[in-house]
Amino acid sequence: MKADKILLSRWLMIVLFALAFIMPPFASQNFETKEIGNIVVVTLSNSFVKNFIPYSTVFQLIALFFLMGIAVWKNRFAKAFSLFAGFSFLAFTLVQNMAITEKFGFRAVISNLILMSITSFVWFRDTWKDENRYTFANFGKKNAWLLVIALFCFWWPMNFSGELDFNPLNFFTGHVVQALQFCPMTPIFLIILIFCKSTISLPIYRITGISGTIIGFWNMMNFFNPSTLYVGVYHLPLFLISLYVLIDSFKLRKNYVQRT
């Protein structure tokens, strides 16, 4: 289909990567080119997601329900899970990439808004395309270790200040509202796709891999600052799994075209 060709085109991938590097953020006041880096950092660190901390346990338990649901009911839960993923990426778009501060007023990281919106779209699209088949046919001894990574990401033992917090209850309470955050949740979605790799929607696989690779790459910059070293470590699953999926999506392209 034409839409699939666009979503799987190398040109779209190039455009999305280019936007991540050249698209400036928006600030309603005091915008200067030299302040671009600062605007992005301040926006992401003061985003609307913190407003949802009082409801973090609710969101965490909802996410846990859908993750357990797809594991137990598999393809019978397919549309519900794709809908959940679509709403999740839409939530990441709206609550993580915008903020209001005294210095810059309303601010938004435009490239992230575009990237996450497209990712949300491809997951929503599957609710009527019905291409994802959650068979878990690719799950086995060779990749079972990814379950540990998924559990770690859902637990996310670190607070908003980048300090380690290994309280086991965080897995259920969602202390940093990780169910509404792109970086902990995206590796989990991708791991599920990897487990079902032979029967999934390639546009979802490719686009989610692209968005994770780009945002994961920017988070690798934390390794250059000793005070944010752990932040970089915690984002390795996002970057490495997304990069693997992106590369793997090209290997799967030929079989996908034949299947569709």
Side-chain angles (χ1 to χ4, degrees):
M1 293 182 65
K2 187 175 181 180
D4 284 357
K5 289 182 179 179
I6 294 173
L7 292 168
L8 294 172
S9 69
R10 293 176 185 267
W11 282 110
L12 178 61
M13 181 183 67
I14 292 170
V15 167
L16 292 176
F17 271 90
L19 286 176
F21 286 92
I22 66 175
M23 174 73 75
F26 170 83
S28 61
Q29 61 190 41
N30 297 323
F31 179 86
E32 296 181 29
T33 303
K34 65 180 182 180
E35 291 279 8
I36 285 178
N38 188 34
I39 292 172
V40 171
V41 171
V42 173
T43 301
L44 297 179
S45 59
N46 293 277
S47 65
F48 297 145
V49 72
K50 292 184 178 179
N51 296 336
F52 294 91
I53 291 177
Y55 315 103
S56 59
T57 301
V58 174
F59 288 112
Q60 191 78 350
L61 293 177
I62 290 173
L64 187 59
F65 167 77
F66 279 95
L67 294 173
M68 295 277 294
I70 198 63
V72 173
W73 294 304
K74 298 182 173 62
N75 206 51
R76 288 175 292 172
F77 202 63
K79 288 192 176 183
F81 186 77
S82 292
L83 193 64
F84 164 68
F87 275 115
S88 293
F89 282 102
L90 180 61
F92 306 154
T93 305
L94 298 176
V95 306
Q96 280 199 274
N97 299 289
M98 295 181 283
I100 298 174
T101 62
E102 185 176 343
K103 181 177 180 180
F104 297 112
F106 174 76
R107 291 154 300 119
V109 183
I110 304 299
S111 59
N112 282 6
L113 291 175
I114 295 171
L115 194 60
M116 293 184 191
S117 294
I118 294 175
T119 308
S120 175
F121 165 75
V122 294
W123 281 95
F124 276 132
R125 181 172 175 260
D126 192 59
T127 60
W128 69 83
K129 290 279 290 182
D130 198 25
E131 289 183 346
N132 269 350
R133 296 287 186 273
Y134 297 96
T135 61
F136 291 85
N138 194 48
F139 176 70
K141 292 182 179 179
K142 65 179 181 179
N143 57 22
W145 60 273
L146 287 171
L147 287 174
V148 178
I149 303 298
L151 291 171
F152 174 84
C153 290
F154 196 73
W155 181 25
W156 203 252
M158 180 174 61
N159 61 30
F160 278 116
S161 300
E163 300 169 340
L164 302 184
D165 182 358
F166 291 100
N167 185 343
L169 292 179
N170 293 339
F171 187 88
F172 301 100
T173 60
H175 62 304
V176 291
V177 208
Q178 54 263 46
L180 293 183
Q181 295 212 50
F182 179 93
C183 297
M185 291 299 294
T186 299
I188 299 174
F189 289 124
L190 289 176
I191 287 169
I192 291 171
L193 292 178
I194 290 171
F195 287 162
C196 306
K197 188 165 62 173
S198 60
T199 57
I200 56 167
S201 163
L202 190 56
I204 290 178
Y205 199 58
R206 170 77 60 82
I207 295 297
T208 310
I210 290 173
S211 60
T213 299
I214 292 173
I215 294 175
F217 170 79
W218 286 122
N219 278 283
M220 292 302 96
M221 300 302 104
N222 286 295
F223 281 108
F224 294 99
N225 184 344
S227 66
T228 59
L229 178 64
Y230 287 121
V231 178
V233 172
Y234 275 43
H235 284 82
L236 280 173
L238 172 66
F239 179 61
L240 295 178
I241 292 173
S242 298
L243 183 60
Y244 164 79
V245 165
L246 176 56
I247 295 171
D248 192 48
S249 70
F250 286 95
K251 297 179 182 178
L252 296 177
R253 177 71 190 271
K254 183 177 179 181
N255 291 334
Y256 178 81
V257 171
Q258 292 175 345
R259 182 167 62 88
T260 57

